[in-house]
Amino acid sequence: MNYEYFNTLLVQSIGSKTGSTAPQITPSASFGYKDAMQAQEIFEGTKKLPLYARVGNPTNTKLESIVTKIENGFGAIATSSGMGAISMVLSAILSANDEILCIGGFFGGTYTLVGETLKRFAIKSSFCEIDDFATIEKKLKSNIKIVLIESVGNPGLRLPDIKKISDLCKSYETLLIIDNTTTPLLVRPLELGADIVVHSSTKNMSGHSAALGGIAVFREVDSKSDKLLNQKYKDLHEIIKKAQKASLIAICKKRALRDIGMSANAFGSFLTILGLETLALRVQRVNKSVETVVKILEQKLPQDIVVNHPSLEKSRDFENYKKFFKNGCGPIFTVDCKTQKRAFEFIDKLKLATMTANIGDNRTLVLHMKSTIYRDFDKESREHLGITDGLIRVSVGLENPQDIANDFLQASIK
Ligand SMILES: *Cc1c(COP(=O)(O)O)cnc(C)c1O
C-alpha cells in the first residue's frame, strides 16, 4: 500500500489524453440501439453497450473501473448512496429466514437497515464485538449467509483483525462484506479475503461533499470451487452458471439494482470522479493530521474531556493499529465530554469545525452523537455501539493540524 502508487494510478485513470482531458459525463437515462438484433444482444449481455441508466451508464462505468483498481477487485457497481450499496448487496443475497452476523460498531443507517428494515422482511441478524471469536465461530457454524463488518467501526473506532475474520468465513464458506468507507487506500479488504467491499463515496472518496454516492466492489468468482457453490446459496447457482467470474456483479444487478433501482446518476458519478483525482494526497495528509491533532489534545485538553483514537497508547486497539493500520485508520477520532451539557458547550464554542452529519470531508467536522444520529436508539444499542452521553465525533479535514487542535483547545476553556 503506497501513496505514490495510488497518486499515479488515480490521476492517470481519470480523464483522457486526447480530446476532453476532464472526465466525460453522459447524462442520458436511455440509449438508442442500432437495430433489433443489437437490442437483443444488449439485453442478453453479449453486446457490452449501455441498456438503460437504471442498470448502467458510461459515467458510472468510468467511476466503477477506477474504484475497482483502487480495491484491486474484479468489478464494481456504483449506487445512489452508501446505504444504496449496502442495501443492494444485502437484498441481492439474502431471503426471508436467512441470517446476517454484524461484527463491531456500525454507521447508524446500517444498524437500522439490518435491525429494523431487513427484520420486516424476516431477515434475522445478530451482533457481536470485533474480538468475540467464540460467537463468530458459533454463528458461522449455524449456516448464516453473510458476515458484515466496518473496516473501522464508526464511531467506536474498534479495529478488527480482518484477515482472521475472513479466514473463518472461508472455512465456513460464508460471504464476508466489508464497509471500507473510512479507509479507502489504507486497507484493501479483497486482498485480505473479503468477498465484497462497499463504500459511501459521499465521504472520503469525494471529499468535497458535493455528491451523494456509494459503490460496491466485487472479487472474481471461481465457478468450480467458490464458496458460493455451498448449498446454502443454491438460489444463486443458476446465475453463477451463466455469469461465471462476474457472478457477484450479475447477482447484484439482477436481484437488486434492476428491480429496486438504487442506481447512481451520471452527474453524481462525475463529481465523485473529480474527487478521486486527489484521494491519495488527501488520505495521506488527513491521516497524518489525525495523529498530530489527537497527540496535542491528549496532552492539553482539561481532565474532563477525554480524546479517543487507536493511535494513542492507552487505546485498547493500539496493537491492531500498529499491526493493520500502519498508515492510519481514517479521518475520525472522538472526544468524550462525559455529559451532554458539557458536550454542547464545547461544540458551540468551536470556530473552525463545521457541525454536520458527515465524515471524510475536506473540512473538519463535528457532531454530538447521542442527540443526533443515535437519538432513536435504545440504551442497550447505544451501549453496544459505545455512544456515551458526552460523545462527540470529529472528522479531521485538510486544514493546518495545529489550527484544528487550537480550535478544540480554545473551545474546552469553561
Ligand atoms: C455515511 C456512511 C454510510 C452511508 O452512506 P450514505 O452515502 O450516506 O448513504 C455507510 N457506511 C459508513 C461507514 C458511513 O460512514
Side-chain angles (χ1 to χ4, degrees), residues 52-203:
Y52 180 72
R54 184 166 10 87
V55 288
N57 162 298
T59 316
N60 297 348
T61 305
K62 177 80 182 175
L63 171 62
E64 288 159 358
S65 76
I66 301 163
V67 180
T68 298
K69 288 184 211 161
I70 290 178
E71 289 291 3
N72 199 14
F74 177 75
I77 301 176
T79 54
S80 52
S81 67
M83 286 321 301
I86 298 170
S87 57
M88 173 181 72
V89 169
L90 299 186
S91 59
I93 294 165
L94 298 169
S95 302
N97 302 318
D98 285 342
E99 182 169 344
I100 173 171
L101 171 65
C102 303
I103 304 177
F106 284 91
F107 171 73
T110 309
Y111 202 75
T112 47
L113 169 68
V114 171
E116 291 176 19
T117 303
L118 293 182
K119 193 171 162 200
R120 288 193 285 109
F121 296 91
I123 291 165
K124 289 173 275 188
S125 61
S126 46
F127 290 80
C128 76
E129 285 291 331
I130 56 155
D131 34 23
D132 182 0
F133 290 101
T135 303
I136 295 172
E137 202 151 358
K138 191 174 121 224
K139 281 287 163 189
L140 283 167
K141 275 187 187 143
S142 74
N143 241 14
I144 57 167
K145 273 199 180 158
I146 287 182
V147 171
L148 180 65
I149 7 174
E150 289 186 4
S151 57
V152 178
N154 166 9
L157 299 179
R158 300 290 329 264
L159 303 179
D161 183 341
I162 295 173
K163 182 76 175 70
K164 188 165 173 184
I165 295 170
S166 90
D167 285 347
L168 278 170
C169 290
K170 194 172 166 201
S171 322
Y172 292 97
E173 300 191 319
T174 303
L175 290 172
L176 174 62
I177 298 167
I178 300 195
D179 183 335
N180 200 25
T181 298
T182 340
T183 44
L185 312 188
L186 298 167
V187 183
R188 293 221 273 188
L190 296 177
E191 290 179 348
L192 298 172
D195 301 285
I196 303 174
V197 177
V198 291
H199 283 274
S200 164
S201 62
T202 320
K203 317 288 171 58

Side-chain angles (χ1 to χ4, degrees), residues 98-392:
D98 285 342
E99 182 169 344
I100 173 171
L101 171 65
C102 303
I103 304 177
F106 284 91
F107 171 73
T110 309
Y111 202 75
T112 47
L113 169 68
V114 171
E116 291 176 19
T117 303
L118 293 182
K119 193 171 162 200
R120 288 193 285 109
F121 296 91
I123 291 165
K124 289 173 275 188
S125 61
S126 46
F127 290 80
C128 76
E129 285 291 331
I130 56 155
D131 34 23
D132 182 0
F133 290 101
T135 303
I136 295 172
E137 202 151 358
K138 191 174 121 224
K139 281 287 163 189
L140 283 167
K141 275 187 187 143
S142 74
N143 241 14
I144 57 167
K145 273 199 180 158
I146 287 182
V147 171
L148 180 65
I149 7 174
E150 289 186 4
S151 57
V152 178
N154 166 9
L157 299 179
R158 300 290 329 264
L159 303 179
D161 183 341
I162 295 173
K163 182 76 175 70
K164 188 165 173 184
I165 295 170
S166 90
D167 285 347
L168 278 170
C169 290
K170 194 172 166 201
S171 322
Y172 292 97
E173 300 191 319
T174 303
L175 290 172
L176 174 62
I177 298 167
I178 300 195
D179 183 335
N180 200 25
T181 298
T182 340
T183 44
L185 312 188
L186 298 167
V187 183
R188 293 221 273 188
L190 296 177
E191 290 179 348
L192 298 172
D195 301 285
I196 303 174
V197 177
V198 291
H199 283 274
S200 164
S201 62
T202 320
K203 317 288 171 58
N204 306 267
M205 282 193 176
S206 288
H208 44 50
S209 171
L212 186 75
I215 192 157
V217 194
F218 308 92
R219 65 164 173 85
E220 183 177 312
V221 168
D222 173 355
S223 57
K224 299 274 177 314
S225 65
D226 205 277
K227 59 166 85 155
L228 279 169
L229 299 175
N230 186 298
Q231 270 310 302
K232 69 185 171 194
Y233 300 113
K234 63 176 181 300
D235 59 336
L236 305 176
H237 291 175
E238 262 321 295
I239 297 181
I240 297 170
K241 255 191 232 148
K242 289 205 193 92
Q244 304 276 317
K245 284 181 184 173
S247 290
L248 283 169
I249 301 166
I251 288 164
C252 284
K253 284 206 168 173
K254 285 184 195 299
R255 291 171 50 112
L257 190 72
R258 182 192 67 191
D259 300 348
I260 310 180
M262 56 288 277
S263 325
N265 73 80
F267 188 58
S269 294
F270 167 76
L271 293 172
T272 305
I273 293 170
L274 294 186
L276 282 175
E277 279 190 328
T278 56
L279 180 65
L281 286 175
R282 291 183 287 108
V283 167
Q284 181 172 24
R285 176 168 172 89
V286 162
N287 280 276
K288 196 156 165 272
S289 294
V290 171
E291 288 194 7
T292 309
V293 172
V294 297
K295 275 212 177 66
I296 299 173
L297 295 186
E298 190 188 35
Q299 282 166 12
K300 299 198 171 160
L301 277 175
Q303 294 273 310
D304 63 337
I305 303 180
V306 178
V307 56
N308 298 304
H309 188 263
S311 69
L312 299 173
E313 247 167 86
K314 65 169 189 197
S315 163
R316 60 178 166 166
D317 289 292
F318 181 62
E319 288 306 315
N320 280 2
Y321 185 78
K322 281 195 305 186
K323 250 201 314 264
F324 308 124
F325 294 82
K326 291 200 169 64
N327 289 322
C329 63
I332 300 174
F333 72 86
T334 59
V335 285
D336 193 343
C337 301
K338 301 287 171 343
T339 63
Q340 176 161 323
K341 182 169 171 286
R342 180 79 169 111
F344 275 30
E345 287 164 4
F346 183 64
I347 279 189
D348 287 342
K349 277 197 186 146
L350 290 167
K351 296 193 173 94
L352 175 145
T354 304
M355 206 195 321
T356 182
N358 191 14
I359 57 166
D361 195 278
N362 294 343
R363 288 148 285 261
T364 294
L365 315 176
V366 295
L367 195 66
H368 179 251
M369 293 283 96
K370 188 185 161 193
S371 61
T372 60
I373 295 178
Y374 298 95
R375 62 170 299 115
D376 291 339
F377 285 54
D378 57 32
K379 196 161 173 280
E380 195 189 48
S381 310
R382 277 205 298 263
E383 265 165 23
H384 171 76
L385 293 169
I387 313 296
T388 51
D389 289 352
L391 192 73
I392 295 169

